[in-house]
Amino acid sequence: MLLTELNVDDLNTLTHFRVERFLHLFATSLPSCLIQLDGHQTLTIHCPSTEIVDDLLDDLEELCDRAWLILGVNALCLYFGEEEVLQTNTYYR
């Protein structure tokens, strides 16, 4: 028997810490965005302005690398308003 077992609250806390770490790495752009993680291992970022979209696109390789390493997602989607700006894999093989 394990000395400690993870429950749903523990998993939610770990997910929260991973998201906070990810946000901290892109502190100039991501805190004003709506971030969603879904069950299909996709990170969706809803941007409030085109300037933020441009900043994220400029850092796309690093954004994808960190999303894959920290959050474990396989895809990333950027939205401005209701329009999808980008959909890409987070890893390159």
Side-chain angles (χ1 to χ4, degrees):
M1 182 173 163
L2 295 173
L3 295 176
T4 59
E5 293 183 21
L6 293 176
N7 60 36
V8 174
D9 290 334
D10 295 332
L11 294 175
N12 287 336
T13 300
L14 289 172
T15 299
H16 174 75
F17 287 142
R18 289 185 354 228
V19 170
E20 287 294 319
R21 175 67 179 141
F22 181 71
L23 291 174
H24 178 71
L25 293 174
F26 299 94
T28 58
S29 53
L30 286 182
S32 60
C33 299
L34 174 63
I35 307 290
Q36 294 177 311
L37 292 169
D38 70 9
H40 301 290
Q41 304 232 338
T42 300
L43 171 66
T44 304
I45 302 172
H46 296 271
C47 301
S49 71
T50 56
E51 291 82 14
I52 292 176
V53 172
D54 291 339
D55 289 345
L56 293 175
L57 289 174
D58 288 343
D59 296 331
L60 185 60
E61 187 174 344
E62 183 181 359
L63 184 69
C64 289
D65 287 345
R66 300 300 183 250
W68 184 66
L69 287 170
I70 295 171
L71 301 175
V73 296
N74 294 324
L76 177 121
C77 296
L78 286 179
Y79 282 84
F80 175 67
E82 297 293 318
E83 185 176 334
E84 183 178 84
V85 176
L86 172 81
Q87 181 176 5
T88 186
N89 290 333
T90 56
Y91 61 92
Y92 304 97
R93 294 184 186 202

